[in-house]
Amino acid sequence: MRIILLFFLLFTTELAFAQISREEIIKASETQLRSSLIEFREYLSLPNNGNSPADIVLNLDWTQKALRERGFQTQILTGNGVPHLFAQGKMDPKKKTILVYMQVDGQAVDSSAWNQESPYIPELMEEIEGKWEPINWNFLDGKINLEWKIFARSASDSKGPTMAFFSALDILQQKGIEPSVNLKLILDFQEEISSPELAPLVSANKDLFHADGILILDGTRHFSNLPNLAFGARGIVTATIKVFGPSNNLHSGQYGNFAPNPAFQLSRLLAAMKDESGKVLIPGFYEGVSISEADFKAMSEIPEDNVEMAHEMGFAEAEKVGRNYQEALQFPSLNIRGLKSGWVGSEVRTLIPAEAVVEIDIRTVKETPNERQLALLQKFILEQGYYLIEGSEPTEEERKSYSKIASLKTRNGSEPFRAAMDSEFAFWLDRGMTHVFGDQYIKTRQTGGSQPMAPFINILGAPAVSVRIPNPDNNIHGPNENIRIGNFLEGIQTCLGILTQAF
């Protein structure tokens, strides 16, 4: 009798959580797709530069209204004058609680570089003979082609994932189904500038943010475009190095072979930082990173072809930091993101420039803390014989005394993090993904990008995993950012699958 009762309890518990079948998820998401895309269009029409207080308020008002309409209680949390939106659904003490992180802001835009009137006037487009051409939004009234794309700033990063989550909530509400977990949401309006006020905000509101796991709705899918969970992200620090030459620009004919050119000095410094295979030569840069054979075997099972990926991106051969793409992401990286010295193109001049500048970003991993990598960079510059000044320009005395003069300005951004892939939280997510996609989804140990999740993980002690929705060819951060409608639809299905699984 006791065995029968136990079986009955287990069976009814399973039924209570298996509230929506895969077939129902597919049908409901397809039915909801048109209205979701129409609302998404409105959301994308809001300018969202995180440096603009007016843009922040515009998006704050829209998202707060959208969440209240979906039954969430909301409150604005302000850190150093910057608002963040917190929302909370119905709380059941018998359920686990999930904190969902959503990014609302986007990178700054250069409208002239986009193939449309404005990045904030979303365009529905179809690929015709290799070119993306705008089509009328009324086409959504008929059969929706999942290969169509929506082009707008933040279509993928990350208003698209947010809208997919909202749409999943709408479907559950329509069916009278409660999520299997308690939901708390935090909306970030300054992610693209490393969320400077987020850490103190979390620290001051630990009880409010308390959760058993953190779901990150941000980030691009793996190159295969299969549904994707990412269990970690690299951190980021940036540096500006300025090398000084003569106090003024000099005529290259009159002073060439006499006055040193800072562009050559900077070039030699940068060349000393990396070898031809792409490996960083700064001593200690990779120290602490160790990839077990078991980890490498798991990475190698992810469907990707390094040669094919390189050719798709337009280069012949990948760097040799890792044995494959996934392993390369487990190491810190050093990147030149911009160089400037003198003038080029139609403005070129026969001058020896007075200075040369490089902008660098360093992606860090859990074993290589941000502060350590910046310290290693500074030490390396000094060991190359440079005198580092504290001000913006060398003094006259410094110019006379040192042949190699530079300034170094650094900025510490998001910290790296990595969650266990065999935790109760991870298994819950796996059940949701498997329920919808079977074995046609992948789990990656760590993604190459950065996300401001360390404050939540370190302060709340909760694991964080990223649900990847946008297509890998989405032009993230650049002109003509887009999201494929098929990915958007699968994003809705992903959220439904996860939110209806027992945890």
Side-chain angles (χ1 to χ4, degrees):
M1 182 67 180
R2 184 176 295 175
I3 294 173
I4 295 173
L5 179 60
L6 179 60
F7 175 79
F8 175 77
L9 289 172
L10 288 172
F11 181 71
T12 54
T13 299
E14 185 176 345
L15 283 179
F17 285 107
Q19 297 167 321
I20 183 167
S21 68
R22 179 185 183 276
E23 291 70 27
E24 287 178 298
I25 286 175
I26 301 302
K27 182 179 178 181
S29 60
E30 290 175 346
T31 301
Q32 186 73 18
L33 183 58
R34 180 191 174 278
S35 61
S36 296
L37 292 173
I38 296 301
E39 186 177 11
F40 185 35
R41 180 188 185 187
E42 178 186 317
Y43 188 24
L44 290 171
S45 300
L46 308 178
N48 63 337
N49 188 328
N51 286 306
S52 167
D55 286 6
I56 291 176
V57 170
L58 196 64
N59 286 271
L60 174 66
D61 290 346
W62 193 95
T63 50
Q64 186 172 42
K65 180 175 181 289
L67 286 168
R68 285 177 175 172
E69 288 174 350
R70 289 168 170 87
F72 282 76
Q73 297 178 342
T74 64
Q75 65 182 103
I76 297 171
L77 304 175
T78 303
N80 198 25
V82 178
H84 301 69
L85 183 61
F86 178 82
Q88 183 172 284
K90 295 177 182 177
M91 302 299 287
D92 183 342
K94 297 188 294 294
K95 293 180 180 179
K96 295 288 182 70
T97 298
I98 297 300
L99 177 65
V100 183
Y101 171 86
M102 299 175 173
Q103 174 194 341
V104 181
D105 64 313
Q107 289 262 337
V109 299
D110 174 6
S111 296
S112 65
W114 287 65
N115 298 330
Q116 59 198 72
E117 182 180 347
S118 165
Y120 302 118
I121 301 178
E123 291 278 12
L124 178 64
M125 293 200 188
E126 180 178 21
E127 189 175 22
I128 301 173
E129 296 181 355
K131 291 183 64 177
W132 287 96
E133 302 289 350
I135 57 177
N136 197 297
W137 281 88
N138 290 337
F139 279 31
L140 295 179
D141 294 338
K143 182 175 175 57
I144 297 175
N145 185 341
L146 299 185
E147 298 304 322
W148 290 343
K149 290 183 176 181
I150 295 173
F151 286 73
R153 173 54 87 224
S154 296
S156 278
D157 186 28
S158 280
K159 286 185 173 181
T162 298
M163 194 68 240
F165 188 86
F166 286 0
S167 300
L169 294 176
D170 291 338
I171 291 170
L172 292 179
Q173 195 172 53
Q174 291 161 14
K175 291 183 171 293
I177 298 173
E178 292 288 338
S180 62
V181 291
N182 298 319
L183 290 174
K184 295 179 179 179
L185 316 179
I186 178 65
L187 279 68
D188 185 356
F189 301 89
Q190 288 195 327
E191 192 273 349
E192 295 295 356
I193 55 175
S194 297
S195 309
E197 307 306 326
L198 195 56
L201 203 68
V202 175
S203 183
N205 295 275
K206 285 188 285 188
D207 291 340
L208 188 66
F209 285 115
H210 174 75
D212 298 291
I214 303 162
L215 204 57
I216 310 166
L217 289 177
D218 182 26
T220 297
R221 278 184 184 178
H222 174 261
F223 194 78
S224 65
N225 198 29
L226 287 171
N228 184 192
L229 295 178
F231 286 77
R234 294 194 285 193
I236 184 171
V237 292
T238 59
T240 304
I241 303 171
K242 183 183 290 187
V243 173
F244 297 93
S247 55
N248 295 293
N249 299 321
L250 297 175
H251 190 281
S252 65
Q254 295 287 355
Y255 300 104
N257 293 343
F258 183 76
N261 188 318
F264 282 109
Q265 290 185 322
L266 179 59
S267 297
R268 285 189 288 271
L269 174 64
L270 294 175
M273 292 183 184
K274 257 191 173 188
D275 67 17
E276 290 189 6
S277 73
K279 294 178 181 176
V280 177
L281 299 175
I282 297 172
F285 195 81
Y286 299 123
E287 187 177 336
V289 180
S290 177
I291 308 298
S292 69
E293 284 307 309
D295 283 338
F296 180 69
K297 183 177 182 296
M299 293 174 203
S300 300
E301 292 172 356
I302 293 172
E304 58 192 18
D305 183 309
N306 288 352
V307 174
E308 181 184 328
M309 288 172 63
H311 292 175
E312 181 75 19
M313 296 179 206
F315 55 88
E317 189 176 4
E319 293 185 329
K320 301 295 188 295
V321 178
R323 287 168 285 181
N324 59 24
Y325 173 64
Q326 289 302 315
E327 188 178 39
L329 296 180
Q330 313 309 310
F331 290 87
S333 67
L334 184 146
N335 175 58
I336 295 172
R337 58 180 185 160
L339 281 167
K340 180 182 178 184
S341 185
W343 293 264
V344 297
S346 61
E347 296 183 349
V348 68
R349 304 163 198 193
T350 51
L351 293 173
I352 298 170
E355 61 186 37
V357 184
V358 63
E359 297 283 359
I360 286 174
D361 65 64
I362 297 174
R363 300 286 177 163
T364 60
V365 298
K366 196 172 180 181
E367 296 83 1
T368 63
N370 290 14
E371 295 80 2
R372 189 193 88 175
Q373 300 305 92
L374 285 175
L376 290 174
L377 175 65
Q378 179 171 331
K379 183 182 178 186
F380 181 82
I381 296 170
L382 291 170
E383 289 175 345
Q384 302 306 301
Y386 278 88
Y387 173 78
L388 291 178
I389 65 171
E390 295 184 1
S392 58
E393 294 283 337
T395 65
E396 185 177 346
E397 189 60 34
E398 286 170 333
R399 288 183 181 277
K400 293 176 181 177
S401 303
Y402 303 98
S403 59
K404 297 167 78 172
I405 305 174
S407 65
L408 173 65
K409 294 183 179 178
T410 62
R411 185 171 183 271
N412 196 347
S414 301
E415 299 282 346
F417 71 90
R418 194 159 57 239
M421 300 177 76
D422 57 357
S423 67
E424 185 183 359
F425 179 54
F427 294 149
W428 172 65
L429 293 171
D430 179 71
R431 287 193 295 274
M433 298 296 283
T434 303
H435 182 61
V436 180
F437 303 110
D439 61 359
Q440 293 301 297
Y441 94 96
I442 58 173
K443 295 184 283 187
T444 48
R445 183 175 185 254
Q446 182 165 278
T447 183
S450 303
Q451 296 168 325
M453 303 314 300
F456 295 101
I457 297 165
N458 297 336
I459 296 169
L460 303 180
V465 175
S466 176
V467 174
R468 314 298 230 166
I469 293 172
N471 40 295
D473 61 344
N474 61 24
N475 289 341
I476 184 173
H477 291 180
N480 305 314
E481 180 182 350
N482 64 81
I483 191 167
R484 175 180 168 269
I485 288 181
N487 284 66
F488 183 86
L489 177 64
E490 287 182 351
I492 299 173
Q493 296 164 357
T494 295
C495 296
L496 284 172
I498 290 171
L499 294 179
T500 54
Q501 297 302 305
F503 181 8

